[in-house]
Amino acid sequence: MAELARIRNFCVIAHVDHGKTTLSDRLLETTGTVPLREMRDQLLDSMELEREHGITIKARAVRMTWRDHELNLIDTPGHVDFTYEVSRSLAACEGAVLLVDASQGIEAQTLANAYLAVEQGLEVIPVINKIDLPNIDLDVIREELRTTLGFRDEEILLVSGKTGAGVNELLDAIVERVPPPVGDVGAPLRALIFDSHYDAYKGVVAHVRVVDGSLGDHERIRLFATEKESELLELGVFVPDARPIPRLETGETGYIATGLKAVADCRVGDTLTLAGRPATAPLPGYRPAKPMVFAGFYPSNAQDYPLLKDAMEKLRLNDASLIYEPETSQALGFGFRAGFLGLLHLEIVQERLEREYDLDLIATSPSVEYRVITQKGAEVAIDNPALLPDPGTIVEIREPWMKVTVIVPTTHVGPVMELAQTKRASLADMSYVDPTRAMLKYDMPLSEVIVDFYDQLKSSSRGYASLDYEFAEYRPADLVRLDILVAGTLVDALSIITHRGRAQQTGRVLVNKLRGLIPKQMFDVRIQAAIGGKVVASETVKAKRKDVLAKCYGGDITRKRKLLEKQKEGKKRMKMVGSVEIPQEAFLAVLRIGDET
């Protein structure tokens, strides 16, 4: 056990793809935490999805030793959708290494994460990474760090996560600059749960930072929020694999196998204390996750609903920002309405459910949370278009608006501004980060941000623009619900809420897409888009034609006519009773209508 003055808790924060995980690999190698023969790239990105996408999704904690000091590193994600993971990591640290790519400079998420760290009162160490790259201008990046974030030249370190240059100096700077943790060694135990995962044998495993007191193996613990008690099964640290130890002391970071089987009993952000000597007050929690995007998940096979329920519970433990509740749909049966931090988060959760829990899912189109003011004066939160009240009872609908920050090279400002205009955005501010890059600040509806805005921004700036956004306020808007009817039946899972001025165009694009996706039946299938009782767009999937004349050789034309008339009668009857099966691609089509409207 290191004494309090020899402990340093720090995290690495940066924009996505600025080399956090590669630098973490070098730190583990330089400190001798992982033997060279066991070393591999992206060591902390253990999830298959993380390695495939080349992004960090889960924050990871690991303990290292450097010059008689115990260093606890938390590797954090960089994508805007996972800001919640970053805020949880910051709550468990005293210092942050702010990484800036030498070739790309400060980007939108760099600023957002730096402000988060300063808000928490952390010691920030600015580091310029990837200095081994050719054709880079370090003076420009230094100037950006000086003017944008107010760092002094002597504070800025130069490092290459790839070659290992400057890593020793960075470790020395962490020891010198990051303050040791402050805590009362003799006080009752108070430990912050900053992450958790589920283990089939040990139950809920909580990742904790001990703030006051200490904890020994097999002691009885209590959780503040749920008031649940349990006996510890195991206590340990990540190096980076789990290693059991007899005690966790004040200021240290480690894990606790609680033995709790119910996922909801151990919440991320809760305070853990001893049952025999409990603390009087919990630690101040950090802000809870605020879902921005909502979608429905339904099993393709109705019998898989219990499996989906179990999978959602286990995933919720591993991903504290996932929020969900059961719902039913006339078209899809039983499922869950889930809240996500953004579209990438939705995509990752769906992939994890399908891969890790072997489920076949149908996801409905994503929507945001609207506030509906009714004639009775009540304010109702609606995140599912199917639940929108009758238009006659609505006074106004308010939609969420975001403060969007885009950093883009000056040569691409024009196309980005044109794109923003098509998304109902209003320019709030424009400034220059350096002579070659502009920072544009927009107010924009969240519904426009989530439908392909990021992809379109990347293509209109040739991949150079970076994006960050945060919630601003709810504003009134002229919105309507666009319903889709297939063969006269309303398919509630295909309904979307859209702006009135764009509803007709969106309806036209959607029915056109669905016409190509819904398989031909033995009868004509009419696909309609409607607002209230008014049909705004319509297409028909023509019937398959069965060759009833195949057996009719020769003979008079009246014989053939008779057979065709008989077929026509049969088709009329089928149309009255026929039901149409809608493929999964049809639901995905709703996600992609942003391209054409």
Side-chain angles (χ1 to χ4, degrees):
M1 151 61 195
E3 59 188 78
L4 212 54
R6 291 189 175 275
I7 298 173
R8 301 287 183 272
N9 294 314
F10 73 101
C11 59
V12 183
I13 53 175
H15 188 82
V16 66
D17 208 22
H18 277 209
K20 291 180 302 302
T21 308
T22 309
L23 179 65
S24 302
D25 288 347
R26 289 296 80 72
L27 293 174
L28 292 173
E29 198 179 280
T30 308
T31 55
T33 307
V34 180
L36 268 175
R37 59 191 159 77
E38 289 174 26
M39 200 64 209
R40 61 186 170 91
D41 284 349
Q42 290 176 272
L43 189 81
L44 293 184
D45 284 354
S46 54
M47 212 188 294
E48 188 187 348
L49 271 174
E50 292 181 311
R51 304 180 73 78
E52 265 178 38
H53 287 259
I55 57 172
T56 301
I57 295 165
K58 289 291 298 166
R60 281 289 306 272
V62 62
R63 177 182 288 194
M64 304 176 289
T65 308
W66 180 255
R67 307 197 197 261
D68 292 335
H69 284 73
E70 179 189 298
L71 309 184
N72 294 309
L73 154 72
I74 299 176
D75 181 31
T76 63
H79 193 280
V80 60
D81 278 11
F82 299 110
T83 305
Y84 181 60
E85 291 278 332
V86 180
S87 75
R88 298 210 321 258
S89 309
L90 295 173
C93 297
E94 281 80 34
V97 172
L98 179 70
L99 221 53
V100 178
D101 187 321
S103 62
Q104 293 171 16
I106 288 179
E107 299 202 48
Q109 203 57 35
T110 319
L111 288 174
N113 287 341
Y115 294 145
L116 271 177
V118 172
E119 246 175 66
Q120 291 266 14
L122 269 61
E123 177 64 40
V124 180
I125 301 173
V127 173
I128 300 174
N129 191 24
K130 305 190 185 180
I131 56 164
D132 55 295
L133 291 175
N135 309 325
I136 51 170
D137 193 340
L138 293 175
D139 292 334
V140 169
I141 313 288
R142 274 203 184 96
E143 180 60 29
E144 277 184 28
L145 282 165
R146 274 200 301 269
T147 53
T148 316
L149 292 166
F151 290 113
R152 297 191 306 279
D153 254 1
E154 58 272 20
E155 290 179 290
I156 302 165
L157 300 175
L158 304 179
V159 166
S160 166
K162 191 175 177 186
T163 64
V167 171
N168 287 23
E169 290 78 0
L170 172 59
L171 286 162
D172 289 340
I174 290 164
V175 168
E176 285 161 26
R177 296 192 212 169
V178 175
V182 180
D184 189 342
V185 182
L189 171 76
R190 288 201 304 169
L192 174 74
I193 301 172
F194 66 86
D195 205 354
S196 59
H197 69 269
Y198 190 81
D199 185 287
Y201 302 105
K202 300 169 189 167
V204 179
V205 178
H207 301 203
V208 298
R209 153 73 199 275
V210 180
V211 177
D212 295 323
S214 65
L215 178 66
D217 208 358
H218 293 295
E219 288 196 89
R220 196 161 178 77
I221 53 162
R222 178 188 293 169
L223 292 145
F224 259 95
T226 54
E227 296 185 348
K228 292 281 178 189
E229 291 190 9
S230 170
E231 190 174 312
L232 284 188
L233 300 182
E234 188 178 294
L235 197 62
V237 292
F238 295 107
V239 286
D241 297 323
R243 188 184 76 199
I245 58 167
R247 281 195 88 72
L248 270 179
E249 305 281 352
T250 307
E252 292 193 311
T253 303
Y255 71 86
I256 292 168
T258 62
L260 293 166
K261 291 295 178 195
V263 168
D265 291 345
C266 183
R267 296 181 194 156
V268 170
D270 198 358
T271 302
L272 192 128
T273 188
L274 291 175
R277 190 187 171 212
T280 50
L283 293 161
Y286 36 81
R287 49 182 181 211
K290 193 175 171 52
M292 292 290 173
V293 179
F294 296 84
F297 280 161
Y298 296 86
S300 297
N301 187 346
Q303 282 101 345
D304 288 345
Y305 177 73
L307 297 176
L308 175 60
K309 186 173 186 244
D310 191 42
M312 293 289 276
E313 275 184 13
K314 286 181 179 161
L315 194 59
R316 165 89 174 87
L317 176 70
N318 197 252
D319 182 353
S321 47
L322 174 66
I323 289 158
Y324 66 91
E325 58 183 30
E327 75 165 0
T328 52
S329 152
Q330 294 162 358
L332 301 171
F334 291 101
F336 291 96
R337 188 90 189 153
F340 308 92
L341 303 176
L343 273 190
L344 177 70
H345 188 207
L346 186 157
E347 193 186 311
I348 294 293
V349 167
Q350 187 175 353
E351 277 197 55
R352 286 186 70 184
L353 285 168
E354 291 182 335
R355 284 190 192 189
E356 294 172 27
Y357 301 97
D358 201 20
L359 290 163
D360 194 9
L361 295 179
I362 291 174
T364 65
S365 70
S367 75
V368 301
E369 187 174 84
Y370 297 95
R371 300 281 163 88
V372 177
I373 312 296
T374 63
Q375 284 178 338
K376 290 179 181 171
E379 184 177 277
V380 189
I382 298 288
D383 58 47
N384 184 350
L387 300 177
L388 196 70
D390 181 350
T393 65
I394 297 173
V395 176
E396 76 176 7
I397 304 176
R398 295 176 184 162
E399 65 176 338
W401 279 64
M402 311 301 280
K403 287 188 169 123
V404 176
T405 306
V406 177
I407 294 181
V408 61
T410 44
T411 48
H412 298 297
V413 166
V416 169
M417 283 183 148
E418 276 175 36
L419 169 67
Q421 276 178 330
T422 67
K423 298 284 184 184
R424 294 194 284 138
S426 59
L427 184 66
D429 183 36
M430 180 176 172
S431 56
Y432 289 89
V433 182
D434 60 44
T436 61
R437 291 188 310 153
M439 179 157 69
L440 308 171
K441 292 194 173 180
Y442 281 102
D443 290 332
M444 192 185 294
L446 175 58
S447 57
E448 301 284 356
V449 177
I450 65 168
V451 179
D452 279 338
F453 178 64
Y454 186 67
D455 292 345
Q456 289 174 318
L457 178 69
K458 283 290 182 192
S459 37
S460 60
S461 65
R462 296 194 187 167
Y464 287 113
S466 64
L467 169 77
D468 181 57
Y469 53 84
E470 61 175 329
F471 175 72
E473 61 184 343
Y474 274 89
R475 294 189 194 174
D478 188 8
L479 300 166
V480 291
R481 186 176 80 197
L482 187 70
D483 290 324
I484 300 296
L485 292 90
V486 177
T489 308
L490 174 70
V491 183
D492 56 354
L494 288 176
S495 296
I496 52 172
I497 293 175
T498 182
H499 200 265
R500 191 185 296 275
R502 210 178 279 180
Q504 199 162 350
Q505 167 71 3
T506 306
R508 231 179 265 136
V509 169
L510 196 47
V511 294
N512 200 20
K513 274 203 163 188
L514 290 173
R515 189 187 67 174
L517 291 167
I518 290 174
K520 287 188 171 189
Q521 310 292 320
M522 298 302 289
F523 50 89
D524 285 1
V525 176
R526 175 62 59 87
I527 305 165
Q528 296 164 306
I531 299 168
K534 183 186 171 195
V535 173
V536 292
S538 176
E539 289 282 356
T540 304
V541 178
K542 286 291 180 195
K544 274 186 199 165
R545 186 164 170 220
K546 186 179 173 188
D547 192 358
V548 289
L549 304 179
K551 295 175 190 166
C552 186
Y553 301 110
D556 191 58
I557 186 71
T558 52
R559 280 184 66 203
K560 293 187 179 180
R561 245 186 227 136
K562 207 161 142 193
L563 283 168
L564 290 169
E565 287 298 322
K566 201 170 161 192
Q567 183 186 30
K568 206 187 259 179
E569 284 300 314
K571 284 209 171 161
K572 262 189 196 157
R573 272 205 312 280
M574 284 176 79
K575 194 178 256 183
M576 285 159 62
V577 296
S579 69
V580 183
E581 198 167 287
I582 299 167
Q584 159 73 358
E585 290 76 40
F587 297 98
L588 295 177
V590 190
L591 305 184
R592 305 201 180 98
I593 54 167
D595 303 350
E596 283 105 308
T597 52

